[in-house]
Amino acid sequence: MKPRPRPQPVNTRARLYVVLMVLALGSTALIVRAVDLQVVRKDFYQEQGDERFLREMPIPVSRGTIFDRNGEPLAVSTPVESIWANPAMLLDNANRLPVLAKALGTDADSLRQKLEQRKDKEFVYLKRQLNPDDAAEIVKLAIPGVSSQREYRRYYPSGEVMAHVLGVTNVDDHGQEGLELGFDDWLAGKPGAERVIRDRLGRTVEDVELAREPKPGRDITLSIDRRVQYLAYRELKSAIIERHASSGSMVILDVASGEILAMVNQPSFNPNAHAADPAYRRNRALTDVVEPGSTMKAFTVATALESGKWTPDSKVDTSPGYYQIGSYTIHDVHDHGMLTLTSVITKSSNIGAAKVAESLSRDSLYDMFHRFGFGESTGSGFPGESPGFLPVVTAWGPVEKATIAYGYGLNVTSLQIAQAYAALANDGRMRAPTFVKDARNPDNAIVDPQIAHTIIRMLETVVVPGGTAYPQAVVNNYRVAGKTGTAYIAHGGGYQYRYISLFAGIVPASAPRLVGVVVVNDPGGGQGGAHFGAVVAAPVFSKVMDGALRLLDVPPDNVQHWFAGGPTAPLQSLAPAATDPAGNTDDNAEEVP
């Protein structure tokens, strides 16, 4: 039997050295790693940690308040809460979805589907603009990943009365239409931001620092007078309903400043409800164009006076009630016979206007119309305002020149008509209309003051016995200068027997303060009935101005006239004798081109 080999002695020292070396290397690696984490890549890992717990949260700001000229709030921002969630975190607690869905007033399956579609995101709105108390009840459920955020919602105290002027904001409180859009940069302000630490449930546990100072929106005071606006809205709506019309507009301007005191449209909408029909939301007074009919005759006569060929007493023969230009025939409702230039306005003679235009150059007519702002934007600054359409002068043949003279062949907005009549009332100086109170709004001379005064006196004859707007446009105790208009509605390249009824008026005529324009579309709804400007539009003007002049404390200028029961002496000198009662009917004979 062989002897067993002797075991080698264990080298305890060597093993100890190995163990010590391994420990030293491990310690060195830990030290190197610690230096890497704490020194070399400290900023990177700090940023990564912050991304998981430190959040930059927006600080919402309230939108500026819109006031009327007397300080009444027209648009205000109210605080609301919006519920949001981290989809991934909420889906990890899917057993709480039915409770959350019930609190939100939605279906659990729909909520789950919404979260699944956005599970790669960290933020999704679940429901916006809730009452703060309702939002607090949802937050109290303590569902992981669900939280609330402060926002603001726009509220319009006057509802549909101011809807078309103010417009609306969207769910993010940005202006979408009207003056909310036009002054969005001014009203919106700039949200701030703060850094906060949030826990794993999304709850804020510490405010770290203010990253950006919030800047609330600035307030704005409009030229609109809420009281006058309401009057205009009420009377226009009543007329639309009574006359079975499809739509209508009214504009009231302050002559001296160009400030828009009222602008209303029908049909309207409730800006506090976001489900309004888009067709109801446009501001027709600025976006919709019409052929102005006989309201243009004032500017044709202004061209005649400026030419020096005509005076208010110049004669024009309108017999036998029709007038031929080539193959085209112009008609008046009645054979008015021999008229003065003033009587052309009083009786609203198409033949008279056409013959006056025939004596003038097309360039002079175009220049006058263009000076009064037709064919270009008024400069009001309202989003989407139409410039209308005034054909280039080279397109005017003899027929076009005649028909444009009494309001066909061009398109205008209600505001353009108001601006033009305000220029006549302002001594022949035109000023861009404005929606802002006390805005710097310089005027410029466009016609001789004497011509403007003469036109005003001629327009007064329309609202006395023998004129087309008597007595419908009368405002008790005030002298009124105005012009009726009735135009066919263009359709499909031609005209149909449906009408636009217009009235443009100035009060008080002796010292003009207000201009009002009423436009009513399709009275009777194509079913016949009264459609003349004097019958449909003029009464709206009369009722609104009767209240507006008193609200604005404008002194009467015609008290003696109405107590005496007859026109004042100055008016009698211009007005024709009312020998034909039928002549009081409105100018419903604008010829269809």
Side-chain angles (χ1 to χ4, degrees), residues 63-64 66 154 179-180 183-189 217-218 220:
R63 193 172 176 84
I66 301 177
R154 209 62 161 162
L179 296 182
E180 290 278 28
F183 293 106
D184 190 54
D185 290 342
W186 179 274
L187 293 165
R218 292 171 287 183
I220 188 170

Side-chain angles (χ1 to χ4, degrees), residues 473-486:
V474 165
V475 179
N476 289 337
N477 301 323
Y478 294 89
R479 287 164 55 181
V480 179
K483 187 70 193 75
T484 53
T486 309

Side-chain angles (χ1 to χ4, degrees), residues 225 227 478 508 513-514 546-556:
D225 188 311
R227 303 166 302 170
Y478 294 89
R513 172 70 187 278
L514 302 179
D546 184 64
L549 290 166
R550 286 159 178 75
L551 285 171
L552 300 174
D553 201 22
V554 178

